[in-house]
């Protein structure tokens, strides 16, 4: 195993969740500068997420349960304008949930062919 679950979460899952969050906020009619301000990131980062330059490996919308949680988070961000640590905490929780449901297994295999998804149950056992 060349990459572990934490690397997969930090390098692929978390950015993909954040990208989807940016997309949902854009779908809600917000401008890039407004999204950047709400998420406490740069407008340049928002632009890269929307251009699929960041977080493009995993299409979060293909996972309806997680996508629903991202949409709920987006609505909460618009209404309550939480701080950056609260948003980060929610995205980390969603990342662990994503791992715990085994959703990242096939992506882990794509980036590390030494992984055998049929045998590896590390994330499911630890985070499920």
């Amino acid at each position: 195993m060349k990459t572990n679950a934490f690397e997969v979460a930090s390098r692929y899952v978390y950015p993909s969740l954040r990208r989807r969050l940016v997309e949902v906020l854009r779908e809600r009619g917000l401008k890039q500068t407004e999204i950047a301000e709400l998420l406490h990131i740069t407008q340049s980062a928002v632009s890269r997420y929307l251009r699929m330059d960041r977080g493009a490996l995993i299409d979060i919308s293909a996972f309806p349960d997680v996508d629903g949680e991202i949409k709920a988070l987006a609505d909460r961000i618009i209404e309550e304008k939480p701080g950056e640590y609260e948003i980060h905490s929610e995205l980390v929780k969603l990342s662990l949930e994503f791992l715990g449901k085994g959703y990242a297994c096939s992506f882990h295999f794509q980036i590390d062919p030494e992984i055998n998804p049929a045998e590896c149950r590390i994330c499911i056992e630890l985070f499920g």
Side-chain angles (χ1 to χ4, degrees):
M1 177 182 334
K2 293 178 184 173
T3 57
N4 64 51
F6 290 112
E7 289 174 292
V8 171
S10 67
R11 293 178 62 199
Y12 302 100
V13 177
Y14 186 99
S16 295
L17 290 165
R18 187 183 259 178
R19 178 187 51 80
R20 182 62 182 142
L21 181 58
V22 166
E23 289 174 344
V24 171
L25 290 169
R26 184 67 176 198
E27 291 167 5
R28 301 287 196 267
L30 278 70
K31 297 177 184 174
Q32 288 187 20
T33 53
E34 295 170 316
I35 294 168
E37 187 176 312
L38 285 171
L39 297 182
H40 309 278
I41 60 177
T42 65
Q43 183 274 326
S44 170
V46 170
S47 177
R48 286 194 298 267
Y49 283 119
L50 292 172
R51 286 193 325 255
M52 302 289 278
D53 290 344
R54 278 191 181 176
L57 178 67
I58 303 170
D59 178 11
I60 298 298
S61 67
F63 303 90
D65 55 336
V66 177
D67 196 47
E69 291 185 56
I70 287 288
K71 289 176 180 177
L73 177 59
D75 292 337
R76 200 174 111 224
I77 289 169
I78 292 169
E79 292 170 17
E80 300 173 13
K81 298 175 181 45
E84 65 183 307
Y85 296 116
E86 190 173 342
I87 294 168
H88 173 68
S89 175
E90 291 300 317
L91 289 173
V92 169
K93 287 177 194 174
L94 283 171
S95 296
L96 294 176
E97 179 182 324
F98 197 86
L99 293 175
K101 290 182 175 183
Y103 293 162
C105 297
S106 63
F107 302 105
H108 195 173
F109 177 71
Q110 285 178 16
I111 58 172
D112 187 351
E114 291 181 11
I115 297 292
N116 182 344
E119 290 181 15
C120 180
R121 298 194 41 83
I122 294 170
C123 292
I124 294 168
E125 290 173 7
L126 289 176
F127 309 118

mmCIF file of all heavy atoms in Angstrom, residues 2-50:
data_model
loop_
_atom_site.group_PDB
_atom_site.id
_atom_site.type_symbol
_atom_site.label_atom_id
_atom_site.label_comp_id
_atom_site.label_asym_id
_atom_site.label_seq_id
_atom_site.Cartn_x
_atom_site.Cartn_y
_atom_site.Cartn_z
ATOM 1 N N LYS A 2 0.786 2.011 -1.056
ATOM 2 C CA LYS A 2 1.603 3.218 -1.172
ATOM 3 C C LYS A 2 0.914 4.427 -0.556
ATOM 4 O O LYS A 2 1.576 5.355 -0.117
ATOM 5 C CB LYS A 2 1.910 3.496 -2.636
ATOM 6 C CG LYS A 2 2.808 2.461 -3.272
ATOM 7 C CD LYS A 2 3.042 2.773 -4.725
ATOM 8 C CE LYS A 2 3.859 1.655 -5.356
ATOM 9 N NZ LYS A 2 3.977 1.801 -6.786
ATOM 10 N N THR A 3 -0.397 4.438 -0.572
ATOM 11 C CA THR A 3 -1.155 5.551 0.005
ATOM 12 C C THR A 3 -2.112 5.012 1.059
ATOM 13 O O THR A 3 -2.737 3.981 0.860
ATOM 14 C CB THR A 3 -1.975 6.299 -1.059
ATOM 15 O OG1 THR A 3 -2.840 5.373 -1.717
ATOM 16 C CG2 THR A 3 -1.089 6.967 -2.083
ATOM 17 N N ASN A 4 -2.214 5.721 2.168
ATOM 18 C CA ASN A 4 -3.119 5.259 3.217
ATOM 19 C C ASN A 4 -4.431 6.040 3.171
ATOM 20 O O ASN A 4 -4.586 6.992 2.407
ATOM 21 C CB ASN A 4 -2.452 5.343 4.594
ATOM 22 C CG ASN A 4 -2.138 6.760 4.995
ATOM 23 O OD1 ASN A 4 -2.986 7.637 4.949
ATOM 24 N ND2 ASN A 4 -0.900 6.998 5.415
ATOM 25 N N ALA A 5 -5.354 5.660 4.022
ATOM 26 C CA ALA A 5 -6.693 6.251 4.027
ATOM 27 C C ALA A 5 -6.660 7.745 4.299
ATOM 28 O O ALA A 5 -7.432 8.510 3.713
ATOM 29 C CB ALA A 5 -7.562 5.547 5.060
ATOM 30 N N PHE A 6 -5.767 8.181 5.167
ATOM 31 C CA PHE A 6 -5.704 9.605 5.485
ATOM 32 C C PHE A 6 -5.216 10.424 4.291
ATOM 33 O O PHE A 6 -5.673 11.539 4.068
ATOM 34 C CB PHE A 6 -4.829 9.855 6.714
ATOM 35 C CG PHE A 6 -5.462 9.356 7.976
ATOM 36 C CD1 PHE A 6 -4.919 8.279 8.659
ATOM 37 C CD2 PHE A 6 -6.613 9.940 8.480
ATOM 38 C CE1 PHE A 6 -5.507 7.807 9.814
ATOM 39 C CE2 PHE A 6 -7.212 9.481 9.640
ATOM 40 C CZ PHE A 6 -6.661 8.408 10.312
ATOM 41 N N GLU A 7 -4.284 9.850 3.541
ATOM 42 C CA GLU A 7 -3.831 10.529 2.331
ATOM 43 C C GLU A 7 -4.963 10.625 1.311
ATOM 44 O O GLU A 7 -5.146 11.673 0.685
ATOM 45 C CB GLU A 7 -2.644 9.790 1.712
ATOM 46 C CG GLU A 7 -1.370 9.905 2.513
ATOM 47 C CD GLU A 7 -0.276 9.040 1.927
ATOM 48 O OE1 GLU A 7 -0.397 7.805 1.980
ATOM 49 O OE2 GLU A 7 0.705 9.622 1.427
ATOM 50 N N VAL A 8 -5.702 9.562 1.153
ATOM 51 C CA VAL A 8 -6.837 9.565 0.228
ATOM 52 C C VAL A 8 -7.856 10.617 0.663
ATOM 53 O O VAL A 8 -8.361 11.394 -0.155
ATOM 54 C CB VAL A 8 -7.489 8.167 0.136
ATOM 55 C CG1 VAL A 8 -8.790 8.208 -0.654
ATOM 56 C CG2 VAL A 8 -6.518 7.173 -0.497
ATOM 57 N N ALA A 9 -8.133 10.667 1.959
ATOM 58 C CA ALA A 9 -9.097 11.639 2.475
ATOM 59 C C ALA A 9 -8.623 13.067 2.249
ATOM 60 O O ALA A 9 -9.386 13.910 1.770
ATOM 61 C CB ALA A 9 -9.365 11.382 3.956
ATOM 62 N N SER A 10 -7.370 13.352 2.577
ATOM 63 C CA SER A 10 -6.887 14.735 2.501
ATOM 64 C C SER A 10 -6.587 15.187 1.069
ATOM 65 O O SER A 10 -6.794 16.350 0.740
ATOM 66 C CB SER A 10 -5.657 14.930 3.377
ATOM 67 O OG SER A 10 -4.559 14.215 2.879
ATOM 68 N N ARG A 11 -6.133 14.275 0.228
ATOM 69 C CA ARG A 11 -5.745 14.670 -1.125
ATOM 70 C C ARG A 11 -6.862 14.551 -2.150
ATOM 71 O O ARG A 11 -6.809 15.198 -3.194
ATOM 72 C CB ARG A 11 -4.550 13.832 -1.592
ATOM 73 C CG ARG A 11 -3.284 14.148 -0.795
ATOM 74 C CD ARG A 11 -2.108 13.310 -1.211
ATOM 75 N NE ARG A 11 -1.766 13.570 -2.609
ATOM 76 C CZ ARG A 11 -1.034 12.746 -3.338
ATOM 77 N NH1 ARG A 11 -0.590 11.624 -2.823
ATOM 78 N NH2 ARG A 11 -0.749 13.039 -4.579
ATOM 79 N N TYR A 12 -7.884 13.716 -1.863
ATOM 80 C CA TYR A 12 -8.907 13.470 -2.873
ATOM 81 C C TYR A 12 -10.337 13.676 -2.365
ATOM 82 O O TYR A 12 -11.125 14.351 -3.008
ATOM 83 C CB TYR A 12 -8.752 12.053 -3.442
ATOM 84 C CG TYR A 12 -7.392 11.831 -4.035
ATOM 85 C CD1 TYR A 12 -6.400 11.151 -3.345
ATOM 86 C CD2 TYR A 12 -7.072 12.339 -5.292
ATOM 87 C CE1 TYR A 12 -5.133 10.976 -3.884
ATOM 88 C CE2 TYR A 12 -5.805 12.171 -5.842
ATOM 89 C CZ TYR A 12 -4.844 11.479 -5.125
ATOM 90 O OH TYR A 12 -3.595 11.319 -5.660
ATOM 91 N N VAL A 13 -10.670 13.088 -1.226
ATOM 92 C CA VAL A 13 -12.050 13.167 -0.743
ATOM 93 C C VAL A 13 -12.392 14.584 -0.296
ATOM 94 O O VAL A 13 -13.373 15.175 -0.769
ATOM 95 C CB VAL A 13 -12.310 12.141 0.393
ATOM 96 C CG1 VAL A 13 -13.727 12.294 0.944
ATOM 97 C CG2 VAL A 13 -12.073 10.722 -0.108
ATOM 98 N N TYR A 14 -11.606 15.150 0.602
ATOM 99 C CA TYR A 14 -11.882 16.496 1.124
ATOM 100 C C TYR A 14 -11.963 17.534 0.001
ATOM 101 O O TYR A 14 -12.930 18.300 -0.067
ATOM 102 C CB TYR A 14 -10.822 16.874 2.159
ATOM 103 C CG TYR A 14 -11.065 18.179 2.876
ATOM 104 C CD1 TYR A 14 -11.625 18.197 4.148
ATOM 105 C CD2 TYR A 14 -10.717 19.395 2.308
ATOM 106 C CE1 TYR A 14 -11.837 19.401 4.828
ATOM 107 C CE2 TYR A 14 -10.927 20.592 2.967
ATOM 108 C CZ TYR A 14 -11.488 20.588 4.231
ATOM 109 O OH TYR A 14 -11.699 21.763 4.878
ATOM 110 N N PRO A 15 -10.987 17.567 -0.922
ATOM 111 C CA PRO A 15 -11.098 18.537 -2.019
ATOM 112 C C PRO A 15 -12.328 18.316 -2.902
ATOM 113 O O PRO A 15 -12.930 19.272 -3.382
ATOM 114 C CB PRO A 15 -9.808 18.340 -2.823
ATOM 115 C CG PRO A 15 -8.853 17.733 -1.853
ATOM 116 C CD PRO A 15 -9.697 16.875 -0.946
ATOM 117 N N SER A 16 -12.707 17.059 -3.101
ATOM 118 C CA SER A 16 -13.895 16.781 -3.906
ATOM 119 C C SER A 16 -15.160 17.239 -3.196
ATOM 120 O O SER A 16 -16.090 17.748 -3.836
ATOM 121 C CB SER A 16 -13.980 15.285 -4.232
ATOM 122 O OG SER A 16 -12.896 14.893 -5.050
ATOM 123 N N LEU A 17 -15.204 17.073 -1.883
ATOM 124 C CA LEU A 17 -16.340 17.571 -1.110
ATOM 125 C C LEU A 17 -16.400 19.098 -1.166
ATOM 126 O O LEU A 17 -17.472 19.682 -1.351
ATOM 127 C CB LEU A 17 -16.252 17.107 0.350
ATOM 128 C CG LEU A 17 -16.484 15.618 0.593
ATOM 129 C CD1 LEU A 17 -16.023 15.240 1.987
ATOM 130 C CD2 LEU A 17 -17.949 15.258 0.382
ATOM 131 N N ARG A 18 -15.265 19.727 -1.026
ATOM 132 C CA ARG A 18 -15.225 21.194 -1.075
ATOM 133 C C ARG A 18 -15.619 21.690 -2.470
ATOM 134 O O ARG A 18 -16.338 22.668 -2.616
ATOM 135 C CB ARG A 18 -13.851 21.717 -0.696
ATOM 136 C CG ARG A 18 -13.856 23.248 -0.586
ATOM 137 C CD ARG A 18 -12.497 23.773 -0.297
ATOM 138 N NE ARG A 18 -12.378 24.095 1.112
ATOM 139 C CZ ARG A 18 -11.266 24.552 1.665
ATOM 140 N NH1 ARG A 18 -10.176 24.681 0.943
ATOM 141 N NH2 ARG A 18 -11.223 24.860 2.925
ATOM 142 N N ARG A 19 -15.151 20.992 -3.501
ATOM 143 C CA ARG A 19 -15.528 21.373 -4.864
ATOM 144 C C ARG A 19 -17.037 21.301 -5.033
ATOM 145 O O ARG A 19 -17.667 22.214 -5.557
ATOM 146 C CB ARG A 19 -14.862 20.481 -5.914
ATOM 147 C CG ARG A 19 -15.293 20.859 -7.355
ATOM 148 C CD ARG A 19 -14.779 19.890 -8.409
ATOM 149 N NE ARG A 19 -15.048 18.504 -8.140
ATOM 150 C CZ ARG A 19 -16.223 17.902 -8.364
ATOM 151 N NH1 ARG A 19 -17.239 18.574 -8.845
ATOM 152 N NH2 ARG A 19 -16.381 16.625 -8.095
ATOM 153 N N ARG A 20 -17.645 20.236 -4.543
ATOM 154 C CA ARG A 20 -19.100 20.085 -4.665
ATOM 155 C C ARG A 20 -19.814 21.178 -3.871
ATOM 156 O O ARG A 20 -20.835 21.709 -4.324
ATOM 157 C CB ARG A 20 -19.535 18.692 -4.194
ATOM 158 C CG ARG A 20 -21.009 18.452 -4.328
ATOM 159 C CD ARG A 20 -21.485 18.519 -5.775
ATOM 160 N NE ARG A 20 -22.924 18.329 -5.838
ATOM 161 C CZ ARG A 20 -23.735 18.977 -6.666
ATOM 162 N NH1 ARG A 20 -23.248 19.834 -7.543
ATOM 163 N NH2 ARG A 20 -25.023 18.756 -6.640
ATOM 164 N N LEU A 21 -19.282 21.536 -2.709
ATOM 165 C CA LEU A 21 -19.859 22.608 -1.907
ATOM 166 C C LEU A 21 -19.825 23.929 -2.688
ATOM 167 O O LEU A 21 -20.813 24.667 -2.721
ATOM 168 C CB LEU A 21 -19.108 22.737 -0.583
ATOM 169 C CG LEU A 21 -19.585 23.804 0.394
ATOM 170 C CD1 LEU A 21 -21.053 23.601 0.766
ATOM 171 C CD2 LEU A 21 -18.702 23.790 1.640
ATOM 172 N N VAL A 22 -18.715 24.197 -3.345
ATOM 173 C CA VAL A 22 -18.597 25.401 -4.171
ATOM 174 C C VAL A 22 -19.625 25.358 -5.301
ATOM 175 O O VAL A 22 -20.307 26.356 -5.576
ATOM 176 C CB VAL A 22 -17.154 25.541 -4.725
ATOM 177 C CG1 VAL A 22 -17.080 26.568 -5.849
ATOM 178 C CG2 VAL A 22 -16.184 25.891 -3.609
ATOM 179 N N GLU A 23 -19.767 24.200 -5.943
ATOM 180 C CA GLU A 23 -20.745 24.062 -7.026
ATOM 181 C C GLU A 23 -22.165 24.330 -6.539
ATOM 182 O O GLU A 23 -22.937 25.028 -7.208
ATOM 183 C CB GLU A 23 -20.694 22.651 -7.618
ATOM 184 C CG GLU A 23 -19.480 22.341 -8.435
ATOM 185 C CD GLU A 23 -19.428 20.888 -8.875
ATOM 186 O OE1 GLU A 23 -20.150 20.033 -8.319
ATOM 187 O OE2 GLU A 23 -18.642 20.613 -9.789
ATOM 188 N N VAL A 24 -22.511 23.776 -5.399
ATOM 189 C CA VAL A 24 -23.862 23.958 -4.854
ATOM 190 C C VAL A 24 -24.100 25.424 -4.519
ATOM 191 O O VAL A 24 -25.180 25.969 -4.812
ATOM 192 C CB VAL A 24 -24.097 23.045 -3.627
ATOM 193 C CG1 VAL A 24 -25.401 23.388 -2.928
ATOM 194 C CG2 VAL A 24 -24.079 21.578 -4.044
ATOM 195 N N LEU A 25 -23.123 26.077 -3.928
ATOM 196 C CA LEU A 25 -23.276 27.497 -3.619
ATOM 197 C C LEU A 25 -23.448 28.305 -4.904
ATOM 198 O O LEU A 25 -24.240 29.247 -4.950
ATOM 199 C CB LEU A 25 -22.086 28.003 -2.799
ATOM 200 C CG LEU A 25 -22.021 27.471 -1.364
ATOM 201 C CD1 LEU A 25 -20.678 27.797 -0.729
ATOM 202 C CD2 LEU A 25 -23.171 28.019 -0.518
ATOM 203 N N ARG A 26 -22.743 27.914 -5.941
ATOM 204 C CA ARG A 26 -22.892 28.572 -7.246
ATOM 205 C C ARG A 26 -24.300 28.326 -7.801
ATOM 206 O O ARG A 26 -24.933 29.235 -8.340
ATOM 207 C CB ARG A 26 -21.811 28.068 -8.200
ATOM 208 C CG ARG A 26 -21.793 28.730 -9.534
ATOM 209 C CD ARG A 26 -21.385 30.163 -9.408
ATOM 210 N NE ARG A 26 -21.295 30.729 -10.749
ATOM 211 C CZ ARG A 26 -20.670 31.819 -11.033
ATOM 212 N NH1 ARG A 26 -20.064 32.496 -10.077
ATOM 213 N NH2 ARG A 26 -20.625 32.269 -12.247
ATOM 214 N N GLU A 27 -24.792 27.094 -7.667
ATOM 215 C CA GLU A 27 -26.155 26.764 -8.107
ATOM 216 C C GLU A 27 -27.202 27.573 -7.351
ATOM 217 O O GLU A 27 -28.294 27.816 -7.868
ATOM 218 C CB GLU A 27 -26.432 25.265 -7.911
ATOM 219 C CG GLU A 27 -25.654 24.363 -8.842
ATOM 220 C CD GLU A 27 -25.691 22.892 -8.425
ATOM 221 O OE1 GLU A 27 -26.406 22.541 -7.465
ATOM 222 O OE2 GLU A 27 -24.981 22.099 -9.067
ATOM 223 N N ARG A 28 -26.871 27.977 -6.131
ATOM 224 C CA ARG A 28 -27.786 28.789 -5.316
ATOM 225 C C ARG A 28 -27.750 30.256 -5.739
ATOM 226 O O ARG A 28 -28.399 31.093 -5.137
ATOM 227 C CB ARG A 28 -27.441 28.685 -3.823
ATOM 228 C CG ARG A 28 -27.481 27.283 -3.231
ATOM 229 C CD ARG A 28 -28.911 26.786 -3.066
ATOM 230 N NE ARG A 28 -29.009 25.630 -2.189
ATOM 231 C CZ ARG A 28 -28.992 24.363 -2.601
ATOM 232 N NH1 ARG A 28 -28.850 24.082 -3.882
ATOM 233 N NH2 ARG A 28 -29.117 23.370 -1.740
ATOM 234 N N GLY A 29 -26.934 30.573 -6.764
ATOM 235 C CA GLY A 29 -26.911 31.915 -7.317
ATOM 236 C C GLY A 29 -25.833 32.831 -6.779
ATOM 237 O O GLY A 29 -25.821 34.025 -7.097
ATOM 238 N N LEU A 30 -24.915 32.301 -5.987
ATOM 239 C CA LEU A 30 -23.857 33.139 -5.429
ATOM 240 C C LEU A 30 -22.737 33.356 -6.436
ATOM 241 O O LEU A 30 -22.455 32.485 -7.259
ATOM 242 C CB LEU A 30 -23.288 32.514 -4.155
ATOM 243 C CG LEU A 30 -24.079 32.772 -2.873
ATOM 244 C CD1 LEU A 30 -25.386 32.031 -2.874
ATOM 245 C CD2 LEU A 30 -23.265 32.384 -1.675
ATOM 246 N N LYS A 31 -22.106 34.513 -6.349
ATOM 247 C CA LYS A 31 -20.952 34.839 -7.184
ATOM 248 C C LYS A 31 -19.699 34.233 -6.552
ATOM 249 O O LYS A 31 -19.674 33.929 -5.364
ATOM 250 C CB LYS A 31 -20.798 36.353 -7.288
ATOM 251 C CG LYS A 31 -21.964 37.025 -7.968
ATOM 252 C CD LYS A 31 -21.782 38.522 -7.960
ATOM 253 C CE LYS A 31 -23.014 39.171 -8.572
ATOM 254 N NZ LYS A 31 -22.974 40.632 -8.461
ATOM 255 N N GLN A 32 -18.662 34.100 -7.368
ATOM 256 C CA GLN A 32 -17.419 33.515 -6.879
ATOM 257 C C GLN A 32 -16.868 34.269 -5.672
ATOM 258 O O GLN A 32 -16.391 33.647 -4.726
ATOM 259 C CB GLN A 32 -16.369 33.481 -7.985
ATOM 260 C CG GLN A 32 -16.644 32.452 -9.050
ATOM 261 C CD GLN A 32 -15.513 32.326 -10.052
ATOM 262 O OE1 GLN A 32 -14.380 32.712 -9.779
ATOM 263 N NE2 GLN A 32 -15.820 31.781 -11.209
ATOM 264 N N THR A 33 -16.930 35.582 -5.692
ATOM 265 C CA THR A 33 -16.412 36.360 -4.561
ATOM 266 C C THR A 33 -17.231 36.113 -3.298
ATOM 267 O O THR A 33 -16.671 36.051 -2.198
ATOM 268 C CB THR A 33 -16.386 37.867 -4.890
ATOM 269 O OG1 THR A 33 -17.687 38.271 -5.332
ATOM 270 C CG2 THR A 33 -15.356 38.184 -5.960
ATOM 271 N N GLU A 34 -18.544 35.942 -3.448
ATOM 272 C CA GLU A 34 -19.397 35.661 -2.290
ATOM 273 C C GLU A 34 -19.096 34.276 -1.725
ATOM 274 O O GLU A 34 -19.042 34.095 -0.501
ATOM 275 C CB GLU A 34 -20.877 35.755 -2.681
ATOM 276 C CG GLU A 34 -21.317 37.144 -3.088
ATOM 277 C CD GLU A 34 -22.713 37.168 -3.694
ATOM 278 O OE1 GLU A 34 -23.027 36.288 -4.521
ATOM 279 O OE2 GLU A 34 -23.477 38.075 -3.328
ATOM 280 N N ILE A 35 -18.900 33.318 -2.611
ATOM 281 C CA ILE A 35 -18.571 31.955 -2.183
ATOM 282 C C ILE A 35 -17.244 31.955 -1.432
ATOM 283 O O ILE A 35 -17.115 31.348 -0.367
ATOM 284 C CB ILE A 35 -18.519 30.995 -3.397
ATOM 285 C CG1 ILE A 35 -19.914 30.856 -4.028
ATOM 286 C CG2 ILE A 35 -17.972 29.627 -2.978
ATOM 287 C CD1 ILE A 35 -19.914 30.169 -5.379
ATOM 288 N N ALA A 36 -16.269 32.645 -1.985
ATOM 289 C CA ALA A 36 -14.948 32.718 -1.355
ATOM 290 C C ALA A 36 -15.058 33.298 0.050
ATOM 291 O O ALA A 36 -14.471 32.773 0.997
ATOM 292 C CB ALA A 36 -14.001 33.563 -2.209
ATOM 293 N N GLU A 37 -15.830 34.357 0.179
ATOM 294 C CA GLU A 37 -15.993 34.996 1.484
ATOM 295 C C GLU A 37 -16.678 34.055 2.472
ATOM 296 O O GLU A 37 -16.237 33.920 3.616
ATOM 297 C CB GLU A 37 -16.812 36.278 1.324
ATOM 298 C CG GLU A 37 -16.903 37.095 2.592
ATOM 299 C CD GLU A 37 -17.640 38.415 2.355
ATOM 300 O OE1 GLU A 37 -17.324 39.105 1.380
ATOM 301 O OE2 GLU A 37 -18.529 38.714 3.175
ATOM 302 N N LEU A 38 -17.737 33.394 2.033
ATOM 303 C CA LEU A 38 -18.463 32.479 2.920
ATOM 304 C C LEU A 38 -17.609 31.294 3.364
ATOM 305 O O LEU A 38 -17.724 30.825 4.491
ATOM 306 C CB LEU A 38 -19.735 31.966 2.243
ATOM 307 C CG LEU A 38 -20.903 32.933 2.145
ATOM 308 C CD1 LEU A 38 -21.996 32.353 1.258
ATOM 309 C CD2 LEU A 38 -21.456 33.247 3.532
ATOM 310 N N LEU A 39 -16.779 30.773 2.445
ATOM 311 C CA LEU A 39 -15.973 29.584 2.747
ATOM 312 C C LEU A 39 -14.593 29.921 3.306
ATOM 313 O O LEU A 39 -13.822 29.014 3.620
ATOM 314 C CB LEU A 39 -15.828 28.710 1.498
ATOM 315 C CG LEU A 39 -17.114 28.113 0.932
ATOM 316 C CD1 LEU A 39 -16.809 27.238 -0.275
ATOM 317 C CD2 LEU A 39 -17.867 27.332 2.000
ATOM 318 N N HIS A 40 -14.285 31.205 3.369
ATOM 319 C CA HIS A 40 -12.988 31.648 3.896
ATOM 320 C C HIS A 40 -11.828 31.118 3.058
ATOM 321 O O HIS A 40 -10.809 30.668 3.583
ATOM 322 C CB HIS A 40 -12.838 31.242 5.370
ATOM 323 C CG HIS A 40 -14.004 31.638 6.216
ATOM 324 N ND1 HIS A 40 -14.142 32.901 6.735
ATOM 325 C CD2 HIS A 40 -15.113 30.959 6.592
ATOM 326 C CE1 HIS A 40 -15.274 32.973 7.417
ATOM 327 N NE2 HIS A 40 -15.886 31.817 7.343
ATOM 328 N N ILE A 41 -12.025 31.152 1.729
ATOM 329 C CA ILE A 41 -10.976 30.767 0.788
ATOM 330 C C ILE A 41 -10.859 31.890 -0.239
ATOM 331 O O ILE A 41 -11.655 32.822 -0.254
ATOM 332 C CB ILE A 41 -11.269 29.406 0.099
ATOM 333 C CG1 ILE A 41 -12.593 29.440 -0.691
ATOM 334 C CG2 ILE A 41 -11.299 28.285 1.134
ATOM 335 C CD1 ILE A 41 -12.907 28.159 -1.454
ATOM 336 N N THR A 42 -9.868 31.803 -1.104
ATOM 337 C CA THR A 42 -9.683 32.852 -2.103
ATOM 338 C C THR A 42 -10.647 32.673 -3.275
ATOM 339 O O THR A 42 -11.109 31.560 -3.550
ATOM 340 C CB THR A 42 -8.241 32.850 -2.650
ATOM 341 O OG1 THR A 42 -8.020 31.619 -3.357
ATOM 342 C CG2 THR A 42 -7.217 33.013 -1.527
ATOM 343 N N GLN A 43 -10.895 33.747 -3.970
ATOM 344 C CA GLN A 43 -11.724 33.684 -5.170
ATOM 345 C C GLN A 43 -11.038 32.825 -6.220
ATOM 346 O O GLN A 43 -11.674 32.106 -6.967
ATOM 347 C CB GLN A 43 -11.995 35.110 -5.701
ATOM 348 C CG GLN A 43 -12.924 35.162 -6.907
ATOM 349 C CD GLN A 43 -12.186 34.968 -8.215
ATOM 350 O OE1 GLN A 43 -11.040 35.378 -8.373
ATOM 351 N NE2 GLN A 43 -12.830 34.310 -9.157
ATOM 352 N N SER A 44 -9.708 32.866 -6.230
ATOM 353 C CA SER A 44 -8.931 32.036 -7.151
ATOM 354 C C SER A 44 -9.181 30.541 -6.888
ATOM 355 O O SER A 44 -9.314 29.749 -7.826
ATOM 356 C CB SER A 44 -7.445 32.363 -7.000
ATOM 357 O OG SER A 44 -6.647 31.454 -7.685
ATOM 358 N N ALA A 45 -9.247 30.164 -5.623
ATOM 359 C CA ALA A 45 -9.526 28.761 -5.282
ATOM 360 C C ALA A 45 -10.929 28.379 -5.743
ATOM 361 O O ALA A 45 -11.130 27.278 -6.284
ATOM 362 C CB ALA A 45 -9.381 28.546 -3.777
ATOM 363 N N VAL A 46 -11.885 29.266 -5.549
ATOM 364 C CA VAL A 46 -13.254 29.003 -6.012
ATOM 365 C C VAL A 46 -13.251 28.766 -7.516
ATOM 366 O O VAL A 46 -13.849 27.809 -8.007
ATOM 367 C CB VAL A 46 -14.205 30.167 -5.641
ATOM 368 C CG1 VAL A 46 -15.563 30.016 -6.325
ATOM 369 C CG2 VAL A 46 -14.367 30.267 -4.129
ATOM 370 N N SER A 47 -12.545 29.611 -8.230
ATOM 371 C CA SER A 47 -12.456 29.471 -9.685
ATOM 372 C C SER A 47 -11.849 28.129 -10.086
ATOM 373 O O SER A 47 -12.350 27.458 -10.997
ATOM 374 C CB SER A 47 -11.612 30.616 -10.252
ATOM 375 O OG SER A 47 -11.461 30.475 -11.638
ATOM 376 N N ARG A 48 -10.808 27.714 -9.376
ATOM 377 C CA ARG A 48 -10.162 26.415 -9.697
ATOM 378 C C ARG A 48 -11.095 25.247 -9.420
ATOM 379 O O ARG A 48 -11.112 24.266 -10.169
ATOM 380 C CB ARG A 48 -8.847 26.286 -8.942
ATOM 381 C CG ARG A 48 -7.750 27.179 -9.527
ATOM 382 C CD ARG A 48 -6.373 26.817 -9.006
ATOM 383 N NE ARG A 48 -6.249 26.984 -7.573
ATOM 384 C CZ ARG A 48 -5.810 28.086 -6.976
ATOM 385 N NH1 ARG A 48 -5.461 29.135 -7.689
ATOM 386 N NH2 ARG A 48 -5.708 28.150 -5.668
ATOM 387 N N TYR A 49 -11.882 25.333 -8.354
ATOM 388 C CA TYR A 49 -12.865 24.272 -8.092
ATOM 389 C C TYR A 49 -13.903 24.223 -9.209
ATOM 390 O O TYR A 49 -14.258 23.144 -9.684
ATOM 391 C CB TYR A 49 -13.560 24.487 -6.744
ATOM 392 C CG TYR A 49 -12.722 24.106 -5.549
ATOM 393 C CD1 TYR A 49 -12.380 25.041 -4.582
ATOM 394 C CD2 TYR A 49 -12.272 22.800 -5.371
ATOM 395 C CE1 TYR A 49 -11.619 24.694 -3.479
ATOM 396 C CE2 TYR A 49 -11.506 22.443 -4.275
ATOM 397 C CZ TYR A 49 -11.185 23.394 -3.334
ATOM 398 O OH TYR A 49 -10.422 23.041 -2.243
ATOM 399 N N LEU A 50 -14.387 25.364 -9.628
ATOM 400 C CA LEU A 50 -15.420 25.405 -10.665
ATOM 401 C C LEU A 50 -14.892 24.965 -12.027
ATOM 402 O O LEU A 50 -15.641 24.399 -12.829
ATOM 403 C CB LEU A 50 -16.026 26.809 -10.754
ATOM 404 C CG LEU A 50 -16.862 27.230 -9.548
ATOM 405 C CD1 LEU A 50 -17.250 28.697 -9.645
ATOM 406 C CD2 LEU A 50 -18.102 26.346 -9.395
#
